[in-house]
């Protein structure tokens, strides 16, 4: 979220449009998060698959048998999954929020509400609902890549196989249904996760914005008091 927000602001300042900024910022955030997520996923999934008894055993085992590269098995497939996932998720989230605000604006206008209420900020739960729908759609689109990443990490496909060869191996053994294993649970998880993540993100962002605005107001008041004091001293 941090990389996404900062990248979106920087890209917007450089003249990129909203959609382009959102897509590029989502991609940057995805690649950055993979640097931490892939090692953690490798450890977690090897423990879940029963290859190691606990986390510490997985860490030492991977280091001993594969070296530091072992922590980044499946990095390419994870990036291939996370980039389209983040691009779809963030752009759909932003678009759903925009359309919801337009709906509220038109509803307020029809009921002769004030302009200030028509441009109100969405609540965290409304932002979270948009995020849950965006997450579910992203999950549906990227399920085959997620299956590939998981199979690579637990060793179900040859370790030295390229991404295309790994895809072909799963397709040959299990057919098209194999690439969509766990389709429904993944959508359900991302739907719930999207609600939690985006609600929490929007709530935290609103707190930061309020703190920033309050800080600016306090600074302005102090400056005015300082100027007033200087004038009184001069008199």
């Amino acid at each position: 979220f941090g990389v996404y927000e900062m990248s979106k602001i920087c890209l917007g300042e450089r003249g990129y449009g909203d959609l382009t900024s959102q897509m590029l910022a989502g991609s940057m955030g995805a690649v950055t998060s993979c640097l931490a997520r892939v090692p953690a996923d490798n450890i977690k999934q090897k423990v879940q698959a029963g290859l190691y008894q606990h986390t510490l055993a997985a860490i030492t085992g991977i280091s001993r048998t594969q070296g530091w590269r072992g922590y980044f098995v499946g990095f390419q497939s994870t990036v291939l999954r996370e980039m389209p996932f983040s691009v779809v998720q963030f752009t759909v989230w932003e678009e759903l929020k925009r359309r919801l605000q337009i709906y509220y604006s038109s509803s307020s206008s029809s009921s002769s509400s004030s302009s200030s209420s028509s441009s109100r900020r969405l609540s965290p739960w409304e932002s979270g609902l948009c995020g849950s729908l965006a997450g579910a759609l992203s999950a549906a689109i990227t399920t085959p890549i997620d299956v590939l990443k998981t199979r690579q990490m637990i060793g179900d496909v040859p370790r030295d196989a390229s991404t295309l060869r790994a895809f072909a191996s799963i397709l040959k053994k299990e057919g098209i249904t194999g690439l969509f294993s766990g389709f429904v649970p993944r959508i359900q998880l991302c739907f719930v996760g999207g609600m939690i993540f985006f609600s929490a993100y929007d709530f935290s962002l609103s707190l930061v914005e309020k703190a920033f605005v309050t800080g600016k107001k306090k600074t302005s008041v102090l400056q005015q008091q300082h100027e007033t004091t200087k004038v009184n001293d001069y008199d």
Side-chain angles (χ1 to χ4, degrees):
F1 282 120
V3 173
Y4 169 76
E5 198 66 37
M6 292 302 299
S7 300
K8 187 176 69 171
I9 293 172
C10 292
L11 290 167
E13 291 176 348
R14 291 178 178 271
Y16 289 89
D18 289 343
L19 181 61
T20 303
S21 298
Q22 293 161 10
M23 294 176 67
L24 291 175
S27 299
M28 294 175 186
V31 174
T32 304
S33 68
C34 284
L35 294 174
R37 180 176 297 176
V38 172
D41 276 352
N42 268 293
I43 295 169
K44 177 194 71 175
Q45 294 188 6
K46 284 179 170 59
V47 173
Q48 290 177 337
L51 301 178
Y52 298 99
Q53 292 184 347
H54 49 78
T55 301
L56 183 59
I59 294 174
T60 56
I62 293 172
S63 298
R64 184 176 62 256
T65 58
Q66 299 174 260
W68 67 270
R69 294 179 183 273
Y71 294 106
F72 290 91
V73 172
F75 182 81
Q76 182 182 13
S77 58
T78 304
V79 171
L80 289 175
R81 180 197 68 178
E82 289 301 317
M83 285 185 66
F85 184 94
S86 294
V87 167
V88 173
Q89 185 180 44
F90 281 109
T91 53
V92 171
W93 175 59
E94 298 277 12
E95 180 62 18
L96 288 175
K97 289 199 303 176
R98 187 183 70 84
R99 290 184 177 274
L100 189 57
Q101 287 178 320
I102 291 175
Y103 169 77
Y104 283 143
S105 297
S106 61
S107 299
S108 298
S109 298
S110 63
S111 60
S112 302
S113 297
S114 63
S115 60
S116 59
S117 63
S118 65
S119 59
R120 72 172 180 86
R121 179 190 178 93
L122 295 181
S123 65
W125 78 265
E126 290 170 330
S127 178
L129 180 59
C130 294
S132 65
L133 296 174
L137 178 61
S138 303
I141 294 173
T142 58
T143 294
I145 307 176
D146 183 62
V147 171
L148 171 64
K149 183 266 301 181
T150 302
R151 301 295 177 84
Q152 285 181 322
M153 287 184 173
I154 65 176
D156 275 2
V157 295
R159 187 178 302 169
D160 57 346
S162 65
T163 300
L164 290 177
R165 285 180 57 193
F167 259 124
S169 175
I170 297 173
L171 198 59
K172 182 179 180 180
K173 291 179 181 178
E174 305 174 45
I176 191 68
T177 56
L179 292 175
F180 286 89
S181 299
F183 179 76
V184 174
R186 176 170 162 76
I187 290 178
Q188 293 171 336
L189 177 64
C190 290
F191 182 88
V192 176
M195 172 62 79
I196 296 172
F197 296 149
F198 283 101
S199 295
Y201 170 68
D202 198 83
F203 178 72
S204 301
L205 191 61
S206 65
L207 291 180
V208 172
E209 289 177 349
K210 287 179 181 178
F212 180 73
V213 171
T214 302
K216 288 185 67 177
K217 288 182 178 179
K218 288 182 178 179
T219 301
S220 178
V221 170
L222 290 174
Q223 288 177 342
Q224 290 177 358
Q225 291 176 345
H226 181 66
E227 292 297 327
T228 302
T229 302
K230 287 174 65 178
V231 171
N232 291 338
D233 290 343
Y234 177 78
D235 293 340

